[in-house]
Amino acid sequence: METAFVISSNVINTINSLPTEERLAVTSALAAEMILGSAPTCGLTPMQEVLYAMIKGYVNRDTARFHNSRNTTVANVIPA
């Protein structure tokens, strides 16, 4: 089964705007969850957990939009 996720420019800009310590912690947590499938919040401070949840929400939203637009496009091309 293929699992795809979208890292938009909004996500990248948000991560890049964080201080270095938070940037590294949040990106490591995202990679741990999305690529490795492991628990993302171990080792994060409470503030980093909030940032992680916010950015993960952006990724989930952008991924859903991508998949919905892809399904809509296919549905318009292939009549039912």
Side-chain angles (χ1 to χ4, degrees), residues 3-33:
T3 302
F5 52 89
V6 174
I7 306 291
S8 68
S9 59
N10 182 45
V11 171
I12 293 169
N13 290 338
T14 301
I15 291 170
N16 284 335
S17 70
L18 297 173
T20 303
E21 184 178 344
E22 280 73 21
R23 184 181 325 143
L24 293 173
V26 169
T27 54
S28 294
L30 281 171
E33 181 179 10

Side-chain angles (χ1 to χ4, degrees), residues 4-75:
F5 52 89
V6 174
I7 306 291
S8 68
S9 59
N10 182 45
V11 171
I12 293 169
N13 290 338
T14 301
I15 291 170
N16 284 335
S17 70
L18 297 173
T20 303
E21 184 178 344
E22 280 73 21
R23 184 181 325 143
L24 293 173
V26 169
T27 54
S28 294
L30 281 171
E33 181 179 10
M34 296 182 172
I35 297 171
L36 304 174
S38 62
T41 56
C42 53
L44 295 179
T45 66
M47 186 59 181
Q48 290 169 345
E49 287 182 15
V50 170
L51 293 168
Y52 170 80
M54 179 185 75
I55 292 170
K56 184 180 176 213
Y58 292 164
V59 171
N60 290 340
R61 180 198 63 201
D62 295 341
T63 299
R65 283 182 183 168
F66 173 76
H67 287 298
N68 288 339
S69 71
R70 214 169 110 186
N71 290 337
T72 302
T73 303
V74 171

